[in-house]
Amino acid sequence: MKRGLNETCNQFFSTLANPTRLAILELLRKGPKNVTEISKTLNQEQSMISHNLKPLENCNFVFAKRKKKERLYSLNKETIEQLFKIFAYHAEKYCPTEGKCLTDRDLQERRRKEAANRLYVTRH
Amino acid sequence: MKRGLNETCNQFFSTLANPTRLAILELLRKGPKNVTEISKTLNQEQSMISHNLKPLENCNFVFAKRKKKERLYSLNKETIEQLFKIFAYHAEKYCPTEGKCLTDRDLQERRRKEAANRLYVTRH
DNA sequence: TTTTCATATGAATGTTACTTCATATTCATC
DNA sequence: GATGAATATGAAGTAACATTCATATGAAAA
């Protein structure tokens, strides 16, 4: 397959395409946090936070530095704030009611329900 | 789970997190194209292109309008060009050799190979 | 009004990513 | 160098997503 924008670009957006990771990024906007703090604030298992921090760090969306026994994670504000800004602008303009932006999955579910409904009407 | 940046944001990035869809977006930078043209240029099945155009359209990353029998898809340049610009800047700065940005999958594979190698060495 | 071209849809299957739990590693302190 | 606290890793199961092939729909032309 023809791929101009390379694997790296896919990686870039894939790393952002996860609710846990987005939550981490949003939390880190407030300032640096260690793993335990993130884990507790987001009410998620520590191992899950670590697993999700890894791709964020690989992509340089967050930076880490040791502080005694802890690892302090901080946000790459330059990149992330810009991205969130674009998103916010786009969402404001195009998804004001959040009524758009449906997944295939949503559409599938909707169809299922419509079909069930049709069936229900037909039955009577 | 605590989720500040909502579902819409995840959707936003998830839609971008796919090589086929990125290829479509990049192609549309050159100008509007219909489904068949996209399909042929990217050398992908028409149904696949259609399936992937749907989320792009849902998120308003592309716009569609009829032209006779065809549907002409065009880019939401405002959003997409900005995103690509940020990505390009970030990649330039942080992944100059594309040596970073490894997935869990990559790391897993690397480990497998290393393990196999260790085993190989041990055998002799 | 049926034929053809262009696109969309559905359902099935394959592929990838996420989550979890158990355990390993790392680093400081005793 | 043993212990404890903080974090990372591995492997397995599960859920989500992408892809494919067959077919349906829609729009124009004959």
Side-chain angles (χ1 to χ4, degrees), chain B residues 18 20-21 45 47-48 51-52 66 68-69 111:
Chain B
N18 174 292
T20 304
R21 291 195 286 273
E45 294 231 345
S47 70
M48 181 172 171
H51 275 303
N52 279 293
R66 274 235 162 255
K68 302 217 171 184
K69 288 181 188 175
R111 268 183 259 116

Side-chain angles (χ1 to χ4, degrees), chain A residues 49-108:
Chain A
I49 299 301
S50 282
H51 275 304
N52 279 293
L53 278 167
K54 186 160 37 176
L56 289 174
E57 193 182 1
N58 277 333
C59 282
N60 289 285
F61 292 151
V62 302
F63 309 119
K65 80 172 189 192
R66 275 237 162 253
K67 187 194 169 192
K68 303 216 169 182
K69 288 180 187 173
E70 306 157 27
R71 286 193 98 207
L72 211 55
Y73 283 89
S74 61
L75 195 66
N76 179 339
K77 286 195 181 175
E78 189 179 23
T79 297
I80 300 301
E81 294 293 355
Q82 280 190 91
L83 283 174
F84 283 175
K85 193 172 152 195
I86 292 179
F87 161 71
Y89 178 82
H90 180 89
E92 170 72 23
K93 186 164 181 181
Y94 294 106
C95 323
T97 62
E98 304 192 12
K100 264 259 185 182
C101 296
L102 305 171
T103 48
D104 254 28
R105 195 143 207 285
D106 295 327
L107 296 169
Q108 206 171 317

Side-chain angles (χ1 to χ4, degrees), chain A residues 82-101, chain B residues 5-13 58-61 76 78-80 82-83:
Chain A
Q82 280 190 91
L83 283 174
F84 283 175
K85 193 172 152 195
I86 292 179
F87 161 71
Y89 178 82
H90 180 89
E92 170 72 23
K93 186 164 181 181
Y94 294 106
C95 323
T97 62
E98 304 192 12
K100 264 259 185 182
C101 296
Chain B
L5 283 170
N6 56 35
E7 195 49 29
T8 309
C9 188
N10 188 28
Q11 190 96 11
F12 182 92
F13 291 115
N58 278 334
C59 283
N60 289 285
F61 292 151
N76 180 339
E78 189 179 24
T79 297
I80 299 301
Q82 281 190 90
L83 284 175

